[in-house]
Amino acid sequence: MGKVYVFDHPLIQHKLTIIRDKETGTKEFRELVDEVSTLMAFEITRDLPLQEVKIQTPVCEANAKTLAGKKLGIVPILRAGIGMVDGILKLIPAAKVGHVGLYRDPATLKPVEYYVKLPSDVEERDFIVVDPMLATGGSATEAIHSLKKRGAQNIKFMCLVAAPEGVEVLQEDHPDVDIYIAALDEKLNEKGYIVPGLGDAGDRLFGTK
Ligand code: URA
């Protein structure tokens, strides 16, 4: 069963409160999603492997540590996931970025993939799939399925706000995927919105309605 990590750092919680507020406009919303994504990237990279290197400081030779060069990939789910990418790249600028686009089939109501572009060395990379909202879990599950189909083996899922329903679906469908969230909300409403949530993340990020 995938673990669920809730990042309860005060800075993340403070910024998330402003993100949730309906009076927060597009510019500030976008900037804060970017900042929270950076803060979450700091936490999610906690287990990156290190290697010992020898360096020369101005004072003496020293044993020091650097990242062991693990290859990372960030995969936003279109379109709202795009709002989280730059914030993550600030901390891990060498990561490659793939994209997964899904639409909801009007007959089955199930997400269907319409666009997938991933780095060519999928099998060698660890991936972070990002979407601000984990609502029903349908898109996250399908996006992760798209990655696995193409050879990805090590995947984490990161979002700002999750509903318990979505967490359950994702854990059931992908028990090997750990879930990283800034807040676990109460429930989904009858329209599929997370309650209390923050509204439509894509519309608020891009100023559309
Ligand atoms: N997607 C959103 O953008 N918001 C929700 O509340 C649920 C899904």
Side-chain angles (χ1 to χ4, degrees), residues 5-14 16 40 43 181-183:
Y5 298 92
V6 182
F7 293 148
D8 58 357
H9 190 289
L11 284 176
I12 294 178
Q13 294 307 313
H14 176 83
L16 184 61
M40 291 185 79
E43 298 276 4
I181 61 188

Side-chain angles (χ1 to χ4, degrees), residues 31-191:
E31 287 166 358
L32 285 165
V33 168
D34 184 75
E35 284 176 25
V36 168
S37 301
T38 305
L39 294 168
M40 291 185 79
F42 181 74
E43 298 276 4
I44 205 171
T45 49
R46 187 174 285 282
D47 61 354
L48 282 183
L50 292 168
Q51 63 189 4
E52 295 272 346
V53 292
K54 272 205 193 325
I55 55 161
Q56 195 72 42
T57 76
V59 179
C60 66
E61 187 178 85
N63 292 321
K65 292 182 169 71
T66 59
L67 290 172
K70 206 168 179 65
K71 291 179 165 185
L72 295 175
I74 304 162
V75 180
I77 301 177
L78 302 178
R79 86 189 141 136
I82 288 174
M84 299 177 73
V85 173
D86 284 352
I88 301 171
L89 286 176
K90 278 185 193 129
L91 291 193
I92 37 176
K96 295 273 198 294
V97 181
H99 293 87
V100 176
L102 305 163
Y103 71 88
R104 190 193 287 242
D105 184 308
T108 63
L109 300 182
K110 293 224 157 32
V112 180
E113 120 190 349
Y114 67 84
Y115 183 79
V116 180
K117 185 81 183 171
L118 300 176
S120 55
D121 51 357
V122 179
E123 295 90 356
E124 294 161 38
R125 284 187 187 269
D126 289 355
F127 285 95
I128 307 172
V129 175
V130 298
D131 193 346
M133 311 303 274
L134 177 60
T136 61
S139 300
T141 292
E142 192 52 38
I144 291 167
H145 182 60
S146 293
L147 262 70
K148 286 185 175 173
K149 236 174 23 190
R150 290 166 175 83
Q153 288 159 22
N154 199 345
I155 302 170
K156 294 174 173 174
F157 180 80
M158 177 171 132
C159 68
L160 301 186
V161 180
E165 294 89 331
V167 170
E168 202 181 310
V169 166
L170 193 46
Q171 281 184 317
E172 222 161 79
D173 291 354
H174 297 290
D176 55 315
V177 173
D178 288 341
I179 304 169
Y180 299 80
I181 61 188
L184 181 59
D185 276 12
E186 199 187 314
K187 60 176 183 184
L188 287 178
N189 69 14
E190 63 292 343
K191 289 185 177 147

